[in-house]
Amino acid sequence: MQANKPTFLSRDPWYEVGSINAPALTLPDGKIHITSRKRVAVSVASMIGRCGVKAVKDSGAPTQYQYMWSRNAEWLSSGIGPTPNVGNEASAYDETTVRNLARSKPCVYAEGNDFQEGVLAMPETSSQFQWWMDERRLMYQNPSYNPNGYTRRDHGGHGSPVTYQGGVGGRWRDSGGGNVSPVNSYYINMYAGQAAARAMSAGYHNTIEPLGVGTNLKFYCDRPDYAVDYYIKKHAMEIIGKGLGKAGGLGPGYLTYTPWGKVEGIDPAAHDLHNNIYTKRRITSPAGYAVTTTHPRVDYDYYVGCVFILGFVMCSGYVPFDDDERYGADPNLMTTLNPAGNPNRDRYVGWEPDVAGTSAPVVSSGGFYEEPCRWIDAGYEAAYYYSQMDRTAGQPWQYMSYKEGSGSFISVQSNGTDILYHAAANDGPHATFAGARRGRGDCMYRVSGNALDWFYFDPSRPKTDKRTITAQVGGSQFQIPNAKGMTLYVMRETI
């Protein structure tokens, strides 16, 4: 039987409604759901608990509910500017200054940073990064700085380059940079044991983990054809988790899934994918269009599947990246215009009136969404599904044998490498011809007593492709008729 679908969601691409409509619930296995506040009229306190939300990315939130996002540009208040040291523009910062900066931040529910980017970019291997993390470690241990006794939950640098993020250059290649099958020994060998997995993230385990810092898997869809990147990211999550000692998504270490609901870009040579892409929104009073530069959105259903599996099944929780802008709900109001490329604004916002000379309906606060924000609700929807996995709480997730239509059952691998075989199936990940199918469905389950929970997700097929999926465990079989591609199916059974 398919898990209940939430009734609180909207199909309107502009609104996120989970922060207002989602029910209060608790997630099994101590999973953490963190989100962003997108509406000026919604308080952080009212968001806590909705679909398991534990913390909100909001610098004004109470510390017990705050996900604190630190940027190195904030360090400029010290009066020390960037240096010409390429790769570590913060190299002029001495240890005393860095530790003082770290102490200027409060202890909170959870935190992360993007110190590797921006005007003071620094690598995680730099002394400055490590001084900061060590000082934060000491603060959480000291009641003077941490009077509320918060557990330290810090996933470190966003998209940690000292942690294995999947493949070579984000693709199925070997150490020499050549394309290989996902079932090449280069990838199979990573599953040989914890030591082999830790070797893929040696920089993290040797340098960052001793400072009490967790890590994260970053997933920015960086090409138009992003769907099959699911396989390489799930593989990376398995290897990171294996290195930490996790089994079936459970176990030690603070590991988060940190994606973005928008398509970032193609590659450095081609620049950002969103160049010259605009969203035009109709305003009726006064009549005209609000025009905004925007990133294309990741397919909503695909994003739900990734959040459920990578964020809740495979690791400690879901911590999406997002900007800090907040909006109102009146579609006839606009945010501040930015016709001159003001660097303090995240994006271009323009006004095209039906009648020339008509003033833009701009307000100083509470203008309507600058771009569609429904993707925020994918976190609420995925968390809602995971809340229904409570009957099997505490049990590890395992790969499940299944078949498509009248085909043969796909055997489960004895060494946990199933995702590699899923990625290599059919035409494989490197096929470029029209109609190529690069991969197959991913299917996992867990069981407690007579309760069986399982899921199926196939990013290798489009939504228009429907197939009957039959899964089996032990002597029992279960079906999903007309299962679409790019769509998550979460199932609850009794055996």
Side-chain angles (χ1 to χ4, degrees):
M1 180 178 68
Q2 192 166 353
N4 294 330
K5 288 185 175 294
T7 59
F8 61 85
L9 297 172
S10 169
R11 295 189 64 84
D12 189 310
W14 288 90
Y15 292 90
E16 50 75 37
V17 299
S19 62
I20 298 174
N21 296 339
L25 52 83
T26 300
L27 297 183
D29 309 312
K31 302 293 183 174
I32 293 170
H33 177 194
I34 291 175
T35 192
S36 297
R37 181 165 75 94
K38 303 304 293 183
R39 299 198 187 202
V40 294
V42 175
S43 71
V44 167
S46 71
M47 296 170 65
I48 299 300
R50 294 188 184 277
C51 282
V53 168
K54 292 288 189 180
V56 179
K57 182 175 180 284
D58 183 332
S59 59
T63 55
Q64 69 267 34
Y65 301 145
Q66 186 180 150
Y67 169 65
M68 186 174 72
W69 182 251
S70 296
R71 298 177 174 88
N72 51 35
E74 300 166 9
W75 295 16
L76 295 175
S77 62
S78 67
I80 303 173
T83 73
N85 185 338
V86 176
N88 183 12
E89 284 80 5
S91 59
Y93 282 70
D94 61 64
E95 183 172 358
T96 298
T97 300
V98 173
R99 290 184 181 273
N100 286 340
L101 288 166
R103 285 196 296 273
S104 71
K105 294 270 194 170
C107 292
V108 295
Y109 180 86
E111 59 184 286
N113 68 80
D114 64 352
F115 288 166
Q116 299 155 71
E117 300 181 25
V119 67
L120 295 175
M122 73 191 85
E124 289 176 283
T125 53
S126 69
S127 296
Q128 287 74 22
F129 188 97
Q130 292 172 44
W131 291 332
W132 170 281
M133 288 302 173
D134 185 55
E135 191 61 34
R136 297 298 294 173
R137 175 184 65 84
L138 295 172
M139 288 176 64
Y140 279 88
Q141 295 174 356
N142 187 338
S144 297
Y145 291 104
N146 187 17
N148 296 306
Y150 298 140
T151 297
R152 188 182 182 204
R153 301 177 185 89
D154 190 331
H155 66 64
H158 185 50
S160 168
V162 297
T163 300
Y164 180 62
Q165 297 288 311
V168 175
R171 300 291 181 261
W172 295 108
R173 301 169 180 145
D174 61 16
S175 57
N179 287 345
V180 296
S181 169
V183 294
N184 182 277
S185 60
Y186 178 75
Y187 293 103
I188 295 287
N189 290 342
M190 296 181 194
Y191 291 81
Q194 187 176 17
R198 288 175 71 86
M200 299 308 300
S201 299
Y204 165 72
H205 292 296
N206 294 338
T207 306
I208 307 302
E209 188 179 27
L211 298 174
V213 185
T215 191
N216 64 93
L217 177 76
K218 173 183 174 182
F219 188 5
Y220 278 16
C221 295
D222 60 358
R223 54 178 174 163
D225 184 18
Y226 56 75
V228 295
D229 288 345
Y230 164 81
Y231 301 103
I232 204 165
K233 289 302 179 180
K234 190 183 183 202
H235 151 69
M237 184 68 84
E238 289 179 339
I239 297 303
I240 301 170
K242 194 176 186 71
L244 289 169
K246 291 184 182 294
L250 304 177
Y254 184 58
L255 170 61
T256 66
Y257 175 52
T258 57
W260 199 29
K262 308 166 195 177
V263 180
E264 169 70 354
I266 301 175
D267 57 42
H271 307 293
D272 289 334
L273 183 64
H274 71 287
N275 284 354
N276 300 315
I277 294 178
Y278 296 87
T279 294
K280 296 183 70 171
R281 180 176 63 82
R282 183 64 177 169
I283 291 178
T284 58
S285 180
Y289 290 94
V291 185
T292 309
T293 58
T294 183
H295 292 262
R297 286 162 286 149
V298 174
D299 179 86
Y300 180 84
D301 293 318
Y302 175 83
Y303 194 79
V304 169
C306 289
V307 174
F308 177 85
I309 299 167
L310 300 177
F312 295 124
V313 169
M314 298 304 301
C315 71
S316 304
Y318 167 62
V319 184
F321 175 79
D322 193 21
D323 61 41
D324 297 323
E325 299 207 54
R326 301 185 183 96
Y327 306 107
D330 185 342
N332 283 312
L333 298 179
M334 288 178 59
T335 58
T336 305
L337 296 175
N338 185 23
N342 184 340
N344 294 320
R345 295 282 286 132
D346 285 341
R347 59 182 64 85
Y348 172 87
V349 178
W351 166 240
E352 296 180 0
D354 284 9
V355 178
T358 303
S359 298
V362 170
V363 292
S364 59
S365 176
F368 195 70
Y369 297 85
E370 294 178 334
E371 61 181 339
C373 286
R374 184 190 178 217
W375 70 271
I376 297 287
D377 283 343
Y380 290 93
E381 182 169 352
Y384 183 86
Y385 293 139
Y386 200 81
S387 72
Q388 296 179 64
M389 306 293 98
D390 57 331
R391 302 176 308 154
T392 58
Q395 299 302 311
W397 291 90
Q398 306 174 62
Y399 280 100
M400 192 174 191
S401 177
Y402 76 93
K403 68 176 181 178
E404 296 179 356
S406 59
S408 301
F409 277 98
I410 296 166
S411 299
V412 174
Q413 301 298 312
S414 61
N415 56 359
T417 57
D418 300 69
I419 197 65
L420 302 182
Y421 286 88
H422 293 337
N426 294 306
D427 300 309
H430 306 298
T432 58
F433 58 87
R437 184 182 177 193
R438 294 172 296 164
R440 66 189 179 201
D442 186 20
C443 191
M444 299 186 82
Y445 79 98
R446 66 182 188 180
V447 64
S448 179
N450 64 350
L452 169 72
D453 294 327
W454 62 287
F455 69 81
Y456 172 82
F457 181 59
D458 187 355
S460 75
R461 296 187 288 116
K463 294 180 186 178
T464 53
D465 187 322
K466 300 177 181 180
R467 307 187 182 200
T468 296
I469 302 301
T470 304
Q472 67 177 5
V473 59
S476 302
Q477 293 187 359
F478 307 93
Q479 279 195 343
I480 307 172
N482 297 316
K484 298 184 293 185
M486 295 274 283
T487 304
L488 173 71
Y489 291 87
V490 180
M491 312 299 290
R492 291 162 47 91
E493 316 285 1
T494 300
I495 54 177

